Amino acid sequence: MEHEFIKLEHIDTTIAAKNFSVLLNDNKTYFLNGSWGSGKTDFLEEVKKNSPKKLITIDFWRLTDTRSTIEIAFSKLHPLLYWAIRVGVVLLVAVSILMTNLVDIGLSNYFGGSKPLILKLGGVVALIVAVWQVFKKKSDEFYCFLLSNSLKFPKFSKVLIIDDFDRMSEKQQEESYKLFSLVNGKLPIVFVGDITKVHKSDDNYLSKIIDRQVELPFDLHPTKIWNNYFSVLEDKFNIGLSNDFKKRVSSDQKNLRDREHFNDYVNQEFFRRGKFGRVQVEQQLLVIYAYLFYPELYNNIIEGVSITIKDSEETVFQSVTKKGLTIKEQLSKIQRFEILGYPFCFNRNPQGYQVYEVSSNRTEDELDILFDNMSEDLVKELVESDKLTDFYQYLNTQYQTFSENQQNQLFEIAIKESLKLKNSPSMNFIIQERFSELYYSVNGEETDLMDLDGEEFNAKRIERIEAIFEPLGYDQSQIIYILEKHNVLSFPELGKSYTNLIITPETILKYKRKDFILLTYLHCENLSRQFINWDRNIWECIDLFDNREFLSFWRFQSIITNNLDIKDFDIKDFDIIPEDKRYTIWIGRYLSKFPDDYIDFRESVISKIKPILEKMEKEGFIFTEKIDERHKR
């Protein structure tokens, strides 16, 4: 799938590089300003191509050299002379030692009458080297002398580049200032880094030594590079990104390196992992952006922690106009609001938007065999696998390559296990993928179901759903159970679709999941949580529930919860009865939108279900009555 990847084009800065190279004709000191990863190195490479002078780059920050700054600079500016001196000294010392009486291997015979002179010269050199070794850390006079005088030649045409100056330690920066004082005015010098992070910036020291501060060309500015990239994304995915997303990312001042990092994850998630067409594009881009640059917020949305916006954090109108909603506000928005249709939005399928970063411990051949055989081992992994397992990742990326028969088998297995009260990300994925077809195909022919309006849309959708389930022999309540449990359709949508339900104590007995058929009926009649409007017929149906149906029903109605609930209600847990059988009964609640309003459920609900609660307490269930005061003021 390499051909599908989004490749970042090279940003042409030739004109700006030529203009900068002209500045380097003067022996002045420049500061090329830009944050780390903003493209300074690439820009200097372009300058090298367009400058007649040779650019010599020294990166003291990366060097682990014990030599002094002056010596390193001399070795870079005059490499041949530097190494000639080093080799010459070593040779003279070696020769003088080898010609002594103690270590005489006959080398003196080659020098004849010059032997005494060579020995004396070698001895002097050896003595100088020994003394220099002792005092070299205290004095750079030798290299200072050579460096200062070597730069006086009129044909010297080199530029000294001190890279990553802002990342150097304070001591390294001070050593660089010494070097600057030695070579200032004798050749062009370019300090490269973020000027706001230079240690001596507080006392305005740089202004005394820098002749000109040069900014990177506008084509490398964060606003410019991201606006260009947004155009690439819109063309690739055939969408229009919202102004909120584009303005906020542009205003975050993320640079070239950040953009490259972001693009790597876009390619990974959309193409390598095959999410393109299975997620809402902008929502996935937002999740990737949060993963890279707002990890705490990312962890919150993936773990299901609601992101709340404090009054002090809300953007005012002027700020929204300029920069768009904050990333926090945008993430909160995708958490709270649901987009109907396919691909499923983040609100319905948060696991499908997670960024995957775990290496596989299994080969592709092993997983191929597992899915080809459809054995009990596959069923076990299907039920037990979470979103970080190799099984789930393989399923997620390879599902579209499976044969129709394989997809049908996986669907039937997932439905069967789901009705056994089991659940997993892999089961969610398989079931959601199957029902995604509802939105774009009928018998292999392209049809846009979303063009239909109101009742026609709902009727057609349910017709297709029941056609999928018909060969499997499940009743309406089991179909509703699957659709709601796996986030295919919500109860409000189901209520609009199943408009002809007749629910009485007699008819409800034929259903396998009496709780789900009654919940759908309540939404159809706009009676959900409207307890005072329930007639005797509804209460008699509730009396026919078994314990699991009873608890599930009231958890959907926010009357009963247990310790497994992370928030008001967690869809994954509605069928789970904890080992300790402890539950909370909410006998009253303060409303979030109207804090002064209080609803008392003791008369409208609790008194009517009290006999069932007492019966269940005899069976070991523990119910604690509480008032929900979270929104009390």
Side-chain angles (χ1 to χ4, degrees):
M1 302 178 72
E2 190 73 27
H3 64 285
E4 295 180 341
F5 289 177
I6 298 173
K7 295 181 179 179
L8 299 175
E9 295 184 358
H10 172 70
I11 298 175
D12 187 8
T13 57
T14 304
I15 296 176
K18 287 180 178 179
N19 292 335
F20 186 65
S21 66
V22 172
L23 294 177
L24 300 180
N25 291 330
D26 298 328
N27 292 339
K28 293 185 176 182
T29 305
Y30 306 90
F31 195 103
L32 181 60
N33 185 39
S35 61
W36 185 72
S38 58
K40 300 186 299 294
T41 302
D42 291 339
F43 179 66
L44 286 173
E45 288 296 323
E46 197 69 43
V47 173
K48 285 182 181 180
K49 298 175 185 177
N50 293 278
S51 176
K53 294 191 174 186
K54 185 176 182 180
L55 274 62
I56 306 299
T57 301
I58 306 177
D59 193 341
F60 291 112
W61 178 71
R62 297 181 189 277
L63 289 174
T64 55
D65 205 321
T66 58
R67 295 176 297 170
S68 68
T69 299
I70 304 295
E71 183 179 349
I72 293 172
F74 181 79
S75 69
K76 293 285 187 178
L77 290 169
H78 302 286
L80 294 178
L81 179 58
Y82 175 77
W83 287 108
I85 294 172
R86 301 272 291 191
V87 173
V89 169
V90 171
L91 285 175
L92 283 171
V93 173
V95 168
S96 67
I97 294 173
L98 292 173
M99 290 176 65
T100 62
N101 293 329
L102 292 175
V103 191
D104 192 347
I105 60 175
L107 190 62
S108 59
N109 296 331
Y110 293 98
F111 294 96
S114 302
K115 177 181 177 181
L117 178 63
I118 297 298
L119 283 174
K120 290 178 181 179
L121 181 62
V124 171
V125 171
L127 180 61
I128 293 173
V129 171
V131 173
W132 181 46
Q133 286 289 91
V134 174
F135 294 102
K136 68 176 183 177
K137 292 188 181 297
K138 298 179 182 180
S139 175
D140 287 314
E141 291 300 323
F142 178 67
Y143 286 113
C144 286
F145 172 78
L146 290 178
L147 186 58
S148 179
N149 286 280
S150 66
L151 299 178
K152 294 179 181 179
F153 295 106
K155 291 186 177 180
F156 191 83
S157 59
K158 295 181 180 179
V159 178
L160 181 62
I161 308 290
I162 301 179
D163 203 1
D164 287 325
F165 186 70
D166 57 320
R167 306 179 78 185
M168 293 161 54
S169 66
E170 187 168 356
K171 182 178 179 182
Q172 287 176 316
Q173 288 186 7
E174 289 174 355
E175 290 293 320
S176 297
Y177 292 137
K178 294 177 183 178
L179 172 62
F180 161 79
S181 64
L182 183 66
V183 300
N184 182 33
K186 297 174 182 177
L187 81 166
I189 306 171
V190 180
F191 291 94
V192 181
D194 185 346
I195 201 166
T196 63
K197 296 182 180 179
V198 178
H199 290 290
K200 284 189 174 289
S201 60
D202 292 341
D203 58 9
N204 207 24
Y205 185 82
L206 271 179
S207 65
K208 301 172 185 177
I209 66 172
I210 300 298
D211 295 315
R212 182 175 295 183
Q213 178 178 322
V214 180
E215 301 294 331
L216 288 172
F218 180 69
D219 285 343
L220 297 177
H221 191 274
T223 302
K224 179 73 171 177
I225 63 174
W226 282 99
N227 284 340
N228 291 342
Y229 182 61
F230 293 144
S231 297
V232 173
L233 291 177
E234 289 175 330
D235 289 342
K236 183 68 175 180
F237 296 122
N238 193 27
I239 62 164
L241 296 173
S242 70
N243 287 331
D244 278 329
F245 179 72
K246 292 192 287 188
K247 286 180 179 180
R248 178 52 57 181
V249 172
S250 297
S251 66
D252 272 357
Q253 299 294 302
K254 301 301 179 185
N255 57 36
L256 273 178
R257 196 181 301 268
D258 295 325
R259 189 186 70 161
E260 182 178 350
H261 201 188
F262 179 79
N263 187 62
D264 284 341
Y265 279 90
V266 170
N267 284 327
Q268 171 185 295
E269 296 301 307
F270 281 98
F271 305 120
R272 192 174 289 114
R273 294 189 63 210
K275 286 187 180 180
F276 184 31
R278 304 212 315 265
V279 292
Q280 297 286 332
V281 173
E282 182 170 323
Q283 292 191 352
Q284 181 66 75
L285 293 174
L286 182 61
V287 171
I288 294 172
Y289 192 79
Y291 173 81
L292 289 175
F293 307 117
Y294 297 87
E296 185 176 347
L297 292 178
Y298 171 81
N299 290 333
N300 284 344
I301 63 172
I302 293 302
E303 292 171 5
V305 178
S306 296
I307 295 178
T308 56
I309 309 298
K310 300 177 182 177
D311 293 341
S312 59
E313 294 177 317
E314 289 185 358
T315 51
V316 296
F317 177 77
Q318 292 84 353
S319 178
V320 172
T321 304
K322 291 180 179 179
K323 297 183 179 180
L325 295 175
T326 64
I327 295 299
K328 188 174 184 180
E329 287 172 324
Q330 292 183 58
L331 291 171
S332 176
K333 187 176 178 181
I334 68 170
Q335 266 192 325
R336 292 180 292 112
F337 295 108
E338 184 174 314
I339 300 175
L340 300 180
Y342 187 84
F344 294 116
C345 63
F346 180 87
N347 176 280
R348 282 194 170 190
N349 182 30
Q351 292 175 341
Y353 288 78
Q354 182 177 12
V355 177
Y356 185 67
E357 279 286 32
V358 179
S359 299
S360 176
N361 293 316
R362 302 166 73 174
T363 66
E364 190 170 326
D365 288 341
E366 289 176 331
L367 291 164
D368 281 339
I369 293 171
L370 186 66
F371 278 89
D372 286 340
N373 293 340
M374 296 287 177
S375 64
E376 287 301 315
D377 289 337
L378 179 136
V379 176
K380 185 174 184 294
E381 292 213 40
L382 179 67
V383 171
E384 296 179 356
S385 62
D386 62 34
K387 56 196 174 186
L388 296 180
T389 60
D390 299 334
F391 181 92
Y392 176 79
Q393 295 306 317
Y394 178 86
L395 173 68
N396 190 282
T397 56
Q398 299 299 315
Y399 182 82
Q400 297 301 328
T401 67
F402 293 165
S403 67
E404 183 178 350
N405 183 54
Q406 280 180 301
Q407 292 183 5
N408 288 338
Q409 282 184 280
L410 287 171
F411 176 71
E412 291 180 20
I413 293 171
I415 295 296
K416 183 178 179 181
E417 296 302 314
S418 181
L419 290 171
K420 292 179 182 177
L421 313 182
K422 298 174 183 177
N423 195 29
S424 73
S426 296
M427 292 165 61
N428 279 337
F429 175 80
I430 291 168
I431 293 170
Q432 289 173 358
E433 280 295 305
R434 182 59 181 270
F435 290 112
S436 69
E437 301 168 6
L438 297 174
Y439 295 95
Y440 57 81
S441 66
V442 181
N443 299 326
E445 298 181 6
E446 294 297 321
T447 303
D448 192 353
L449 185 62
M450 304 305 288
D451 284 345
L452 303 177
D453 294 325
E455 293 182 4
E456 187 180 3
F457 167 80
N458 292 321
K460 196 69 175 178
R461 179 170 57 183
I462 290 300
E463 180 184 326
R464 294 186 192 179
I465 289 172
E466 294 191 338
I468 292 173
F469 276 103
E470 186 175 1
L472 306 179
Y474 297 119
D475 69 26
Q476 277 185 331
S477 69
Q478 291 173 305
I479 295 173
I480 290 170
Y481 173 87
I482 294 297
L483 297 177
E484 171 65 36
K485 179 179 179 179
H486 297 283
N487 297 330
V488 178
L489 292 177
S490 63
F491 275 122
E493 293 175 292
L494 290 164
K496 293 177 182 178
S497 301
Y498 285 98
T499 56
N500 298 318
L501 290 177
I502 299 175
I503 301 300
T504 65
E506 291 75 26
T507 60
I508 202 171
L509 288 172
K510 70 177 182 180
Y511 294 107
K512 299 289 181 60
R513 287 302 304 240
K514 297 184 286 294
D515 51 340
F516 274 75
I517 202 72
L518 182 57
L519 285 164
T520 304
Y521 171 78
L522 292 176
H523 280 83
C524 175
E525 300 296 327
N526 294 317
L527 291 172
S528 179
R529 304 187 186 182
Q530 304 299 314
F531 309 118
I532 59 174
N533 295 325
W534 289 6
D535 59 23
R536 182 179 177 181
N537 188 62
I538 293 174
W539 293 107
E540 288 181 356
C541 287
I542 294 173
D543 290 339
L544 298 173
F545 290 168
D546 62 26
N547 288 348
R548 192 180 304 276
E549 291 171 330
F550 178 83
L551 293 169
S552 167
F553 177 85
W554 288 114
R555 288 180 75 184
F556 275 104
Q557 295 297 304
S558 297
I559 294 296
I560 295 179
T561 57
N562 64 30
N563 294 334
L564 295 173
D565 289 307
I566 299 173
K567 42 189 177 180
D568 285 353
F569 174 72
D570 188 341
I571 186 67
K572 297 188 294 295
D573 295 335
F574 63 80
D575 264 335
I576 300 175
I577 297 177
E579 291 184 8
D580 60 10
K581 296 185 177 181
R582 289 182 178 274
Y583 286 85
T584 298
I585 305 291
W586 300 107
I587 61 174
R589 177 172 289 118
Y590 288 89
L591 302 182
S592 58
K593 292 184 179 179
F594 308 100
D596 295 331
D597 287 352
Y598 172 77
I599 300 179
D600 193 314
F601 299 127
R602 280 173 288 196
E603 182 65 30
S604 60
V605 178
I606 309 304
S607 63
K608 293 181 172 60
I609 62 173
K610 194 68 174 176
I612 298 177
L613 294 175
E614 291 174 349
K615 171 180 168 293
M616 293 177 68
E617 285 177 336
K618 293 178 181 179
E619 297 173 8
F621 287 89
I622 301 172
F623 299 105
T624 304
E625 295 185 351
K626 291 183 179 180
I627 295 176
D628 187 352
E629 298 181 339
R630 288 173 302 166
H631 303 294
K632 182 180 180 181
R633 291 186 182 179

